[in-house]
Amino acid sequence: MDMDYTATQSGFTQYPKLRMRNTSKDGTDPSQLFDDTSAAPGVEPAGFPGQGVGAMGYPGQTLLSDPVSNLAMAYGSSLASQGKDLVDKNLDRFLPISKLKYYFAVDTVYVGKKLGLLVFPYMHQNWEVSYQQDTPVAPRFDINAPDLYIPAMGFITYILVSGLALGTQNRFTPEILGMQASSALVWLIMEVLAVLLSLYLVTVNTDLTTIDLVAFSGYKYVGMIVGVVAGLLFGRTGYYLTLLWCCISIFIFMIRTLRLKLLSEAAAQGVLIHGARNQLRMYLTMSIAAAQPIFMYWLTYHLVG
């Protein structure tokens, strides 16, 4: 038993330390068999089992929220699918991206033959594109089919050759090379847009697409590369002679290729149909073909010193 000491005049008086009834030393109730842990975190309070209240909410809330969330997800997916279809449909009118795979279906044999055709188109006889069940065959099976591989690689090679030509003249800078690439790309876009506008004004019914026009307009980079390389090897005389040959070649190539596209009615009947509209088509074909040598000279003459 603990003792309590009290100071008096005669000394210290010892009294026993009293303890409250039904209390223990640490202040807990001895009649309580277990400690009260109702305030401890993570323990469900007393009540009916399964009726927890807190972050989980009411037990029926989960059953009601799942169908609503599923319906919202389904509706959102439907809207996204409809929006994607609408964008793809409108985009394919001007730039059929879904068909790009067709224009890059080439192989080494096709590339070699097509490069030879672009430089020596004089002996080629059949210029018609082959079809299989109303669908044009892949370029690797038909040399007359348009492709984007040669124009794309030609554009990149032209930029590299331009940098080489400028470097031999001590005029190379990254800024000039960037301006050269931007200028060539802008002229290409303007050319394609001008042709599209002309086709719209003349009301020509043709199966030419925007990608076809980009492909045909990009074939001139082959002659431009050959002309610049000849200028680096043989000087300005070699440049002018080689570029003249390539200009004539691309002119003949464009005439014979676009003639079947823009004059399809006359080509189908085997005779020329006289009329104002047919003459406009012929003038348009000649204009597109004549523009190629002009662009070839404009984009290369300053590269040869």
Side-chain angles (χ1 to χ4, degrees):
M1 181 178 62
D2 297 335
M3 304 298 294
D4 191 5
Y5 297 88
T6 303
T8 59
Q9 294 180 354
S10 59
F12 292 94
T13 305
Q14 184 177 2
Y15 297 97
K17 187 176 181 179
L18 301 180
R19 182 181 299 169
M20 296 181 64
R21 184 180 179 182
N22 296 331
T23 58
S24 60
K25 182 180 180 180
D26 55 357
T28 60
D29 188 0
S31 62
Q32 184 177 354
L33 299 179
F34 303 98
D35 294 336
D36 185 8
T37 59
S38 59
V43 179
E44 181 179 353
F48 294 100
Q51 290 186 349
V53 181
M56 298 300 295
Y58 296 100
Q61 184 176 357
T62 304
L63 298 178
L64 295 177
S65 61
D66 288 343
V68 174
S69 60
N70 293 335
L71 181 61
M73 293 177 59
Y75 184 70
S77 301
S78 177
L79 288 180
S81 178
Q82 293 178 2
K84 181 178 180 299
D85 295 340
L86 182 61
V87 171
D88 293 342
K89 182 179 179 181
N90 293 329
L91 188 60
D92 284 345
R93 294 180 181 178
F94 305 98
L95 187 62
I97 299 179
S98 59
K99 298 181 181 179
L100 284 178
K101 185 178 180 180
Y102 163 82
Y103 292 91
F104 285 94
V106 300
D107 55 10
T108 306
V109 177
Y110 167 83
V111 173
K113 290 183 178 180
K114 196 59 173 274
L115 292 177
L117 180 62
L118 292 173
V119 181
F120 301 98
Y122 311 102
M123 303 302 295
H124 192 64
Q125 299 297 328
N126 184 18
W127 293 86
E128 295 183 359
V129 178
S130 301
Y131 284 81
Q132 184 178 6
Q133 297 180 355
D134 298 333
T135 303
V137 298
R140 63 174 176 267
F141 301 119
D142 185 12
I143 192 176
N144 297 322
D147 71 283
L148 284 179
Y149 178 80
I150 293 178
M153 294 296 103
F155 180 82
I156 297 174
T157 307
Y158 161 72
I159 301 302
L160 297 178
V161 172
S162 299
L164 177 62
L166 294 173
T168 56
Q169 304 172 25
N170 296 324
R171 294 190 296 146
F172 175 81
T173 58
E175 292 78 11
I176 293 180
L177 191 63
M179 293 178 59
Q180 189 75 19
S182 302
S183 176
L185 184 60
V186 169
W187 280 113
L188 178 64
I189 295 175
M190 292 179 60
E191 179 186 356
V192 173
L193 292 178
V195 174
L196 289 175
L197 179 61
S198 302
L199 292 176
Y200 175 77
L201 295 177
V202 180
T203 63
V204 177
N205 295 325
T206 178
D207 58 350
L208 278 175
T209 63
T210 306
I211 299 183
D212 292 335
L213 296 177
V214 173
F216 291 135
S217 300
Y219 285 141
K220 61 177 173 285
Y221 292 116
V222 176
M224 294 164 56
I225 295 169
V226 175
V228 174
V229 172
L232 293 176
L233 297 177
F234 307 105
R236 298 192 68 88
T237 302
Y239 162 75
Y240 282 116
L241 293 177
T242 306
L243 187 66
L244 178 62
W245 176 276
C246 294
C247 288
I248 297 174
S249 299
I250 196 64
F251 179 81
I252 295 176
F253 173 84
M254 296 294 287
I255 287 290
R256 295 183 176 180
T257 301
L258 296 179
R259 180 177 61 87
L260 300 177
K261 297 290 186 180
L262 302 181
L263 302 175
S264 57
E265 297 177 358
Q269 297 181 9
V271 295
L272 291 178
I273 303 175
H274 298 283
R277 180 172 296 182
N278 187 66
Q279 290 182 356
L280 290 176
R281 295 178 181 180
M282 293 179 60
Y283 293 151
L284 180 59
T285 304
M286 296 288 293
S287 300
I288 297 174
Q292 307 307 310
I294 297 176
F295 284 115
M296 292 172 65
Y297 176 75
W298 176 259
L299 294 173
T300 56
Y301 78 96
H302 60 284
L303 298 176
V304 180

Coordinates of all heavy atoms in Angstrom, one line a residue, residues 62-138:
T62 N -22.6 1.5 -54.5 CA -21.8 0.9 -55.5 C -22.6 0.2 -56.6 O -22.3 0.3 -57.8 CB -20.9 -0.2 -54.9 OG1 -20.1 0.4 -53.8 CG2 -20.0 -0.8 -55.9
L63 N -23.7 -0.4 -56.2 CA -24.6 -1.1 -57.2 C -25.2 0.0 -58.1 O -25.5 -0.3 -59.3 CB -25.7 -1.9 -56.4 CG -25.2 -3.0 -55.6 CD1 -26.3 -3.7 -54.9 CD2 -24.4 -4.0 -56.4
L64 N -25.5 1.2 -57.6 CA -26.1 2.2 -58.4 C -25.1 2.9 -59.3 O -25.5 3.4 -60.4 CB -26.9 3.2 -57.6 CG -28.1 2.6 -56.8 CD1 -28.7 3.7 -55.9 CD2 -29.1 2.1 -57.7
S65 N -23.8 3.1 -58.8 CA -22.9 3.8 -59.6 C -22.3 3.1 -60.7 O -21.9 3.6 -61.7 CB -21.7 4.3 -58.6 OG -21.1 3.2 -58.1
D66 N -22.1 1.8 -60.7 CA -21.5 1.0 -61.7 C -22.3 1.1 -63.0 O -21.7 1.3 -64.1 CB -21.4 -0.5 -61.3 CG -20.3 -0.6 -60.3 OD1 -19.5 0.3 -60.1 OD2 -20.2 -1.7 -59.6
P67 N -23.6 0.9 -63.1 CA -24.3 1.0 -64.4 C -24.2 2.4 -64.9 O -24.1 2.6 -66.2 CB -25.8 0.7 -64.0 CG -25.7 -0.1 -62.8 CD -24.5 0.4 -62.0
V68 N -24.2 3.5 -64.1 CA -24.1 4.8 -64.6 C -22.8 5.1 -65.2 O -22.6 5.7 -66.3 CB -24.4 5.8 -63.4 CG1 -24.1 7.3 -63.9 CG2 -25.8 5.7 -62.9
S69 N -21.7 4.6 -64.6 CA -20.4 4.8 -65.1 C -20.2 4.0 -66.4 O -19.5 4.5 -67.4 CB -19.3 4.4 -64.1 OG -19.5 3.0 -63.7
N70 N -20.7 2.8 -66.4 CA -20.6 2.0 -67.7 C -21.3 2.7 -68.8 O -20.9 2.7 -70.0 CB -21.1 0.6 -67.4 CG -20.3 -0.2 -66.5 OD1 -19.1 0.1 -66.3 ND2 -20.9 -1.2 -65.8
L71 N -22.5 3.2 -68.5 CA -23.3 3.9 -69.6 C -22.5 5.2 -70.1 O -22.5 5.5 -71.3 CB -24.6 4.3 -69.0 CG -25.6 5.0 -70.0 CD1 -25.9 4.2 -71.2 CD2 -26.9 5.4 -69.3
A72 N -21.9 5.9 -69.1 CA -21.1 7.1 -69.5 C -19.9 6.7 -70.4 O -19.6 7.4 -71.4 CB -20.7 7.9 -68.3
M73 N -19.2 5.6 -70.0 CA -18.1 5.2 -70.8 C -18.5 4.8 -72.2 O -17.8 5.1 -73.2 CB -17.4 4.1 -70.1 CG -16.7 4.5 -68.8 SD -15.9 3.1 -67.9 CE -14.8 2.6 -69.2
A74 N -19.6 4.0 -72.3 CA -20.1 3.6 -73.6 C -20.5 4.8 -74.5 O -20.2 4.8 -75.7 CB -21.3 2.6 -73.4
Y75 N -21.1 5.8 -73.9 CA -21.5 7.0 -74.6 C -20.3 7.8 -75.1 O -20.3 8.3 -76.2 CB -22.5 7.8 -73.7 CG -23.0 9.0 -74.4 CD1 -24.0 8.9 -75.5 CD2 -22.6 10.3 -74.1 CE1 -24.5 10.0 -76.1 CE2 -23.1 11.4 -74.8 CZ -24.0 11.3 -75.7 OH -24.5 12.4 -76.4
G76 N -19.3 7.9 -74.2 CA -18.1 8.6 -74.6 C -17.4 7.9 -75.7 O -16.9 8.5 -76.6
S77 N -17.3 6.6 -75.6 CA -16.6 5.8 -76.7 C -17.4 5.9 -78.0 O -16.8 6.0 -79.1 CB -16.5 4.3 -76.3 OG -15.8 4.2 -75.1
S78 N -18.7 6.0 -78.0 CA -19.5 6.2 -79.2 C -19.2 7.5 -79.8 O -19.1 7.7 -81.0 CB -21.0 6.0 -78.9 OG -21.8 6.2 -80.0
L79 N -19.2 8.6 -79.0 CA -18.9 9.9 -79.5 C -17.5 10.0 -80.1 O -17.3 10.6 -81.1 CB -19.1 10.9 -78.4 CG -20.5 11.3 -77.9 CD1 -20.4 12.3 -76.8 CD2 -21.3 11.8 -79.1
A80 N -16.5 9.4 -79.4 CA -15.2 9.4 -80.0 C -15.1 8.7 -81.3 O -14.4 9.1 -82.2 CB -14.2 8.8 -78.9
S81 N -15.8 7.5 -81.4 CA -15.8 6.8 -82.7 C -16.4 7.6 -83.8 O -15.9 7.6 -84.9 CB -16.5 5.4 -82.5 OG -16.5 4.7 -83.7
Q82 N -17.5 8.2 -83.5 CA -18.2 9.0 -84.5 C -17.4 10.2 -84.9 O -17.3 10.6 -86.1 CB -19.6 9.5 -84.0 CG -20.6 8.4 -83.8 CD -21.9 8.9 -83.2 OE1 -22.1 10.1 -83.0 NE2 -22.8 8.0 -82.9
G83 N -16.7 10.9 -84.0 CA -15.8 12.0 -84.3 C -14.6 11.6 -85.2 O -14.3 12.3 -86.1
K84 N -14.1 10.4 -84.8 CA -12.9 9.9 -85.6 C -13.4 9.6 -87.1 O -12.7 9.9 -88.0 CB -12.3 8.7 -85.0 CG -11.1 8.1 -85.7 CD -10.6 6.9 -85.0 CE -9.4 6.3 -85.7 NZ -9.8 5.8 -87.0
D85 N -14.5 9.0 -87.2 CA -15.0 8.7 -88.6 C -15.3 9.9 -89.4 O -15.0 10.0 -90.6 CB -16.3 7.8 -88.5 CG -16.0 6.4 -87.9 OD1 -14.9 6.0 -87.9 OD2 -17.0 5.8 -87.4
L86 N -15.8 10.9 -88.7 CA -16.1 12.2 -89.4 C -14.8 12.9 -89.8 O -14.8 13.4 -91.0 CB -16.9 13.1 -88.5 CG -17.4 14.5 -89.0 CD1 -18.3 14.2 -90.2 CD2 -18.1 15.3 -88.0
V87 N -13.8 12.9 -89.0 CA -12.6 13.5 -89.3 C -11.9 12.8 -90.5 O -11.4 13.4 -91.4 CB -11.6 13.6 -88.1 CG1 -10.2 14.1 -88.5 CG2 -12.2 14.6 -87.1
D88 N -11.9 11.5 -90.4 CA -11.2 10.7 -91.4 C -12.0 10.8 -92.8 O -11.3 10.9 -93.8 CB -11.2 9.2 -91.1 CG -10.3 8.9 -89.9 OD1 -9.5 9.8 -89.6 OD2 -10.5 7.9 -89.2
K89 N -13.3 10.9 -92.7 CA -14.0 11.1 -94.0 C -13.8 12.4 -94.6 O -13.6 12.5 -95.9 CB -15.5 11.0 -93.7 CG -16.4 11.1 -94.9 CD -17.9 10.9 -94.6 CE -18.8 11.0 -95.8 NZ -20.2 10.8 -95.4
N90 N -13.7 13.5 -93.8 CA -13.5 14.8 -94.4 C -12.0 15.0 -94.8 O -11.7 15.7 -95.8 CB -13.8 15.9 -93.4 CG -15.3 16.0 -93.2 OD1 -16.1 15.7 -94.1 ND2 -15.7 16.4 -92.0
L91 N -11.1 14.4 -94.1 CA -9.7 14.5 -94.4 C -9.3 13.7 -95.7 O -8.5 14.1 -96.4 CB -8.8 14.0 -93.2 CG -7.3 14.2 -93.3 CD1 -7.0 15.7 -93.4 CD2 -6.6 13.6 -92.1
D92 N -10.0 12.6 -95.9 CA -9.7 11.8 -97.1 C -10.1 12.5 -98.4 O -9.7 12.1 -99.5 CB -10.4 10.4 -97.0 CG -9.7 9.5 -96.1 OD1 -8.5 9.8 -95.7 OD2 -10.3 8.5 -95.7
R93 N -11.0 13.5 -98.3 CA -11.3 14.2 -99.5 C -10.1 15.0 -100.1 O -10.0 15.1 -101.3 CB -12.4 15.3 -99.2 CG -13.8 14.6 -98.7 CD -14.8 15.8 -98.5 NE -16.1 15.2 -98.0 CZ -17.1 16.0 -97.7 NH1 -17.0 17.3 -97.7 NH2 -18.2 15.4 -97.3
F94 N -9.3 15.5 -99.2 CA -8.1 16.3 -99.7 C -6.8 15.5 -99.6 O -6.0 15.6 -100.5 CB -8.0 17.6 -98.9 CG -9.3 18.4 -98.9 CD1 -10.2 18.3 -97.8 CD2 -9.6 19.2 -99.9 CE1 -11.3 19.0 -97.8 CE2 -10.7 20.0 -99.9 CZ -11.6 19.9 -98.9
L95 N -6.7 14.7 -98.6 CA -5.4 14.0 -98.4 C -5.7 12.6 -97.8 O -5.8 12.4 -96.6 CB -4.5 14.7 -97.4 CG -3.1 14.1 -97.2 CD1 -2.3 14.2 -98.6 CD2 -2.3 14.9 -96.2
P96 N -5.9 11.6 -98.8 CA -6.3 10.2 -98.3 C -5.1 9.5 -97.6 O -4.4 8.8 -98.2 CB -6.7 9.6 -99.6 CG -6.0 10.3 -100.7 CD -5.9 11.7 -100.2
I97 N -5.0 9.8 -96.3 CA -3.9 9.2 -95.6 C -4.0 7.7 -95.5 O -2.9 7.0 -95.5 CB -3.9 9.8 -94.2 CG1 -3.7 11.4 -94.2 CG2 -2.8 9.2 -93.3 CD1 -3.7 12.0 -92.9
S98 N -5.2 7.2 -95.5 CA -5.3 5.7 -95.5 C -4.7 5.0 -96.7 O -4.5 3.8 -96.6 CB -6.8 5.4 -95.3 OG -7.5 5.9 -96.4
K99 N -4.5 5.8 -97.8 CA -4.0 5.2 -99.0 C -2.5 5.4 -99.1 O -1.9 5.0 -100.2 CB -4.7 5.7 -100.2 CG -6.2 5.5 -100.2 CD -6.8 6.1 -101.5 CE -8.3 5.8 -101.5 NZ -9.0 6.4 -102.7
L100 N -1.8 6.0 -98.1 CA -0.4 6.2 -98.3 C 0.4 4.9 -98.4 O 1.5 4.9 -99.0 CB 0.1 7.0 -97.0 CG -0.3 8.5 -97.0 CD1 0.2 9.2 -95.8 CD2 0.3 9.2 -98.2
K101 N -0.1 3.9 -97.8 CA 0.7 2.6 -97.8 C 0.8 2.1 -99.3 O 1.8 1.5 -99.6 CB -0.1 1.6 -97.0 CG 0.6 0.2 -96.9 CD -0.1 -0.7 -96.0 CE 0.6 -2.1 -95.9 NZ -0.1 -3.0 -95.0
Y102 N -0.2 2.4 -100.1 CA -0.1 2.0 -101.5 C 1.0 2.7 -102.2 O 1.8 2.1 -103.0 CB -1.4 2.3 -102.2 CG -1.4 2.3 -103.7 CD1 -1.4 1.1 -104.4 CD2 -1.2 3.5 -104.4 CE1 -1.4 1.1 -105.8 CE2 -1.2 3.5 -105.8 CZ -1.2 2.3 -106.5 OH -1.2 2.3 -107.9
Y103 N 1.3 4.0 -101.9 CA 2.3 4.8 -102.6 C 3.7 4.4 -102.2 O 4.6 4.9 -102.9 CB 2.0 6.3 -102.4 CG 0.7 6.7 -103.1 CD1 -0.5 6.7 -102.4 CD2 0.7 7.1 -104.4 CE1 -1.7 7.2 -103.1 CE2 -0.4 7.6 -105.1 CZ -1.6 7.6 -104.4 OH -2.8 8.0 -105.0
F104 N 3.9 3.7 -101.1 CA 5.2 3.3 -100.7 C 5.4 1.8 -100.9 O 6.4 1.3 -100.4 CB 5.4 3.7 -99.2 CG 5.6 5.1 -99.0 CD1 4.5 6.0 -98.6 CD2 6.9 5.7 -99.1 CE1 4.7 7.3 -98.4 CE2 7.1 7.1 -98.9 CZ 6.0 7.9 -98.5
A105 N 4.5 1.2 -101.6 CA 4.7 -0.3 -101.9 C 5.6 -0.4 -103.1 O 5.2 -0.7 -104.2 CB 3.4 -0.9 -102.1
V106 N 6.9 -0.2 -102.9 CA 7.9 -0.3 -103.9 C 9.0 -1.3 -103.6 O 9.1 -1.7 -102.4 CB 8.6 1.1 -104.2 CG1 7.5 2.1 -104.6 CG2 9.3 1.6 -103.0
D107 N 9.8 -1.6 -104.5 CA 11.0 -2.4 -104.3 C 12.2 -1.9 -105.1 O 12.0 -0.9 -105.8 CB 10.7 -3.9 -104.6 CG 10.2 -4.1 -106.0 OD1 10.3 -3.1 -106.8 OD2 9.8 -5.2 -106.4
T108 N 13.3 -2.6 -105.0 CA 14.5 -2.1 -105.7 C 14.4 -2.1 -107.2 O 14.8 -1.2 -107.9 CB 15.7 -2.9 -105.2 OG1 15.8 -2.9 -103.8 CG2 17.0 -2.3 -105.8
V109 N 13.8 -3.1 -107.7 CA 13.6 -3.2 -109.2 C 12.7 -2.1 -109.7 O 13.1 -1.4 -110.7 CB 13.0 -4.6 -109.5 CG1 12.8 -4.7 -111.0 CG2 13.9 -5.7 -109.1
Y110 N 11.7 -1.8 -109.0 CA 10.8 -0.7 -109.4 C 11.5 0.6 -109.4 O 11.4 1.4 -110.3 CB 9.5 -0.6 -108.5 CG 8.7 0.6 -108.7 CD1 7.8 0.7 -109.8 CD2 8.9 1.7 -107.8 CE1 7.1 1.9 -109.9 CE2 8.2 2.9 -108.0 CZ 7.3 3.0 -109.1 OH 6.6 4.1 -109.2
V111 N 12.2 0.9 -108.3 CA 12.9 2.2 -108.2 C 13.9 2.3 -109.3 O 14.1 3.4 -109.9 CB 13.6 2.3 -106.8 CG1 14.5 3.5 -106.7 CG2 12.6 2.3 -105.7
G112 N 14.7 1.3 -109.6 CA 15.7 1.4 -110.7 C 15.0 1.7 -112.0 O 15.4 2.5 -112.8
K113 N 13.9 1.0 -112.3 CA 13.2 1.2 -113.6 C 12.6 2.5 -113.7 O 12.6 3.2 -114.7 CB 12.2 0.1 -113.8 CG 12.7 -1.3 -114.0 CD 11.6 -2.3 -114.3 CE 12.2 -3.7 -114.6 NZ 11.1 -4.7 -114.8
K114 N 12.0 3.0 -112.6 CA 11.3 4.3 -112.6 C 12.3 5.4 -112.7 O 12.1 6.4 -113.4 CB 10.5 4.5 -111.3 CG 9.5 5.6 -111.3 CD 8.5 5.4 -112.4 CE 7.4 6.3 -112.4 NZ 6.3 6.0 -111.5
L115 N 13.5 5.3 -112.1 CA 14.5 6.3 -112.3 C 15.0 6.4 -113.8 O 15.2 7.5 -114.3 CB 15.7 6.1 -111.4 CG 15.5 6.2 -109.9 CD1 16.7 5.9 -109.1 CD2 15.0 7.7 -109.6
G116 N 15.1 5.2 -114.4 CA 15.5 5.2 -115.8 C 14.4 5.7 -116.7 O 14.7 6.4 -117.7
L117 N 13.1 5.5 -116.3 CA 12.0 6.1 -117.1 C 12.0 7.6 -117.0 O 11.6 8.3 -117.9 CB 10.7 5.5 -116.6 CG 9.4 6.0 -117.3 CD1 9.5 5.6 -118.8 CD2 8.2 5.4 -116.6
L118 N 12.3 8.2 -115.8 CA 12.3 9.6 -115.6 C 13.4 10.3 -116.4 O 13.3 11.4 -116.8 CB 12.5 9.9 -114.1 CG 11.3 9.6 -113.2 CD1 11.6 9.8 -111.8 CD2 10.0 10.3 -113.6
V119 N 14.5 9.6 -116.6 CA 15.7 10.2 -117.3 C 15.6 9.9 -118.8 O 16.0 10.7 -119.6 CB 17.0 9.8 -116.7 CG1 18.2 10.4 -117.4 CG2 17.0 10.1 -115.2
F120 N 15.1 8.7 -119.2 CA 15.0 8.3 -120.6 C 13.6 7.8 -120.9 O 13.3 6.6 -121.0 CB 16.0 7.1 -120.8 CG 17.4 7.5 -120.6 CD1 18.0 7.1 -119.4 CD2 18.2 8.2 -121.5 CE1 19.4 7.5 -119.1 CE2 19.5 8.5 -121.3 CZ 20.1 8.2 -120.0
P121 N 12.6 8.7 -121.0 CA 11.3 8.3 -121.3 C 10.9 8.1 -122.7 O 9.8 7.9 -123.1 CB 10.4 9.4 -120.7 CG 11.3 10.6 -120.9 CD 12.7 10.2 -120.8
Y122 N 11.9 8.2 -123.6 CA 11.6 8.3 -125.0 C 11.2 7.0 -125.7 O 10.5 6.9 -126.6 CB 12.9 8.9 -125.8 CG 13.4 10.1 -125.1 CD1 14.5 10.1 -124.3 CD2 12.8 11.4 -125.2 CE1 15.0 11.2 -123.6 CE2 13.2 12.5 -124.6 CZ 14.4 12.4 -123.8 OH 14.9 13.6 -123.2
M123 N 11.8 5.9 -125.1 CA 11.5 4.6 -125.7 C 10.3 3.9 -125.1 O 10.0 2.8 -125.5 CB 12.8 3.7 -125.6 CG 14.0 4.3 -126.3 SD 13.8 4.7 -128.0 CE 13.6 3.0 -128.7
H124 N 9.8 4.4 -124.0 CA 8.7 3.7 -123.3 C 7.4 3.9 -124.2 O 7.1 5.0 -124.6 CB 8.5 4.4 -122.0 CG 7.6 3.6 -121.1 ND1 7.9 2.3 -120.6 CD2 6.4 3.9 -120.5 CE1 6.9 1.9 -119.8 NE2 6.0 2.8 -119.8
Q125 N 6.7 2.8 -124.3 CA 5.5 2.8 -125.2 C 4.2 2.8 -124.4 O 3.3 3.6 -124.6 CB 5.5 1.6 -126.1 CG 6.7 1.5 -127.0 CD 6.7 2.7 -128.0 OE1 5.7 3.2 -128.4 NE2 7.9 3.1 -128.4
N126 N 4.0 1.8 -123.5 CA 2.8 1.7 -122.7 C 2.8 2.5 -121.5 O 3.6 2.3 -120.6 CB 2.5 0.2 -122.4 CG 1.2 0.0 -121.7 OD1 0.3 0.9 -121.7 ND2 1.0 -1.1 -121.1
W127 N 1.9 3.6 -121.4 CA 1.9 4.5 -120.2 C 0.7 4.3 -119.4 O 0.5 5.0 -118.4 CB 1.9 5.9 -120.7 CG 3.2 6.3 -121.3 CD1 3.6 6.1 -122.6 CD2 4.4 6.9 -120.7 NE1 4.9 6.5 -122.9 CE2 5.4 7.0 -121.7 CE3 4.6 7.3 -119.4 CZ2 6.6 7.6 -121.4 CZ3 5.9 7.8 -119.1 CH2 6.9 8.0 -120.1
E128 N -0.2 3.3 -119.7 CA -1.4 3.1 -118.9 C -1.1 2.3 -117.6 O -0.3 1.4 -117.6 CB -2.4 2.3 -119.7 CG -2.9 3.0 -121.0 CD -3.9 2.2 -121.7 OE1 -4.2 1.1 -121.3 OE2 -4.4 2.7 -122.8
V129 N -1.8 2.7 -116.6 CA -1.7 2.1 -115.3 C -2.5 0.8 -115.2 O -3.7 0.8 -115.7 CB -2.1 3.0 -114.1 CG1 -2.0 2.4 -112.8 CG2 -1.3 4.3 -114.1
S130 N -1.9 -0.3 -114.7 CA -2.6 -1.5 -114.7 C -3.6 -1.6 -113.5 O -3.3 -1.0 -112.4 CB -1.6 -2.7 -114.6 OG -0.7 -2.7 -115.6
Y131 N -4.7 -2.2 -113.7 CA -5.8 -2.4 -112.7 C -6.1 -3.8 -112.5 O -5.9 -4.7 -113.4 CB -7.0 -1.6 -113.1 CG -7.0 -0.1 -113.0 CD1 -6.4 0.6 -114.0 CD2 -7.5 0.5 -111.9 CE1 -6.3 2.0 -113.9 CE2 -7.5 1.9 -111.8 CZ -6.8 2.6 -112.8 OH -6.8 4.0 -112.7
Q132 N -6.5 -4.1 -111.3 CA -7.0 -5.4 -110.9 C -8.2 -5.3 -110.1 O -8.2 -4.8 -109.0 CB -5.9 -6.2 -110.1 CG -6.3 -7.6 -109.7 CD -5.2 -8.3 -108.9 OE1 -4.2 -7.7 -108.5 NE2 -5.4 -9.6 -108.7
Q133 N -9.4 -5.7 -110.7 CA -10.7 -5.5 -110.1 C -11.0 -4.1 -109.7 O -11.3 -3.8 -108.6 CB -10.8 -6.5 -108.9 CG -10.7 -7.9 -109.3 CD -10.8 -8.8 -108.0 OE1 -10.9 -8.3 -106.9 NE2 -10.9 -10.1 -108.2
D134 N -10.8 -3.2 -110.7 CA -11.1 -1.7 -110.6 C -10.2 -1.1 -109.5 O -10.5 0.0 -109.0 CB -12.5 -1.5 -110.2 CG -13.5 -2.0 -111.3 OD1 -13.0 -2.0 -112.5 OD2 -14.6 -2.3 -111.0
T135 N -9.1 -1.7 -109.2 CA -8.1 -1.2 -108.2 C -6.7 -1.2 -108.8 O -6.3 -2.2 -109.3 CB -8.1 -2.0 -106.9 OG1 -9.4 -2.0 -106.4 CG2 -7.1 -1.4 -105.9
P136 N -6.0 0.0 -108.8 CA -4.7 0.0 -109.4 C -3.7 -0.9 -108.6 O -3.8 -1.0 -107.4 CB -4.3 1.5 -109.3 CG -5.1 2.0 -108.3 CD -6.4 1.3 -108.3
V137 N -2.9 -1.6 -109.4 CA -1.9 -2.5 -108.7 C -0.9 -1.7 -108.0 O -0.7 -0.5 -108.3 CB -1.3 -3.5 -109.8 CG1 -2.4 -4.3 -110.4 CG2 -0.6 -2.7 -110.8
A138 N -0.1 -2.3 -107.1 CA 0.9 -1.6 -106.4 C 2.0 -1.2 -107.3 O 2.3 -1.8 -108.4 CB 1.4 -2.5 -105.3

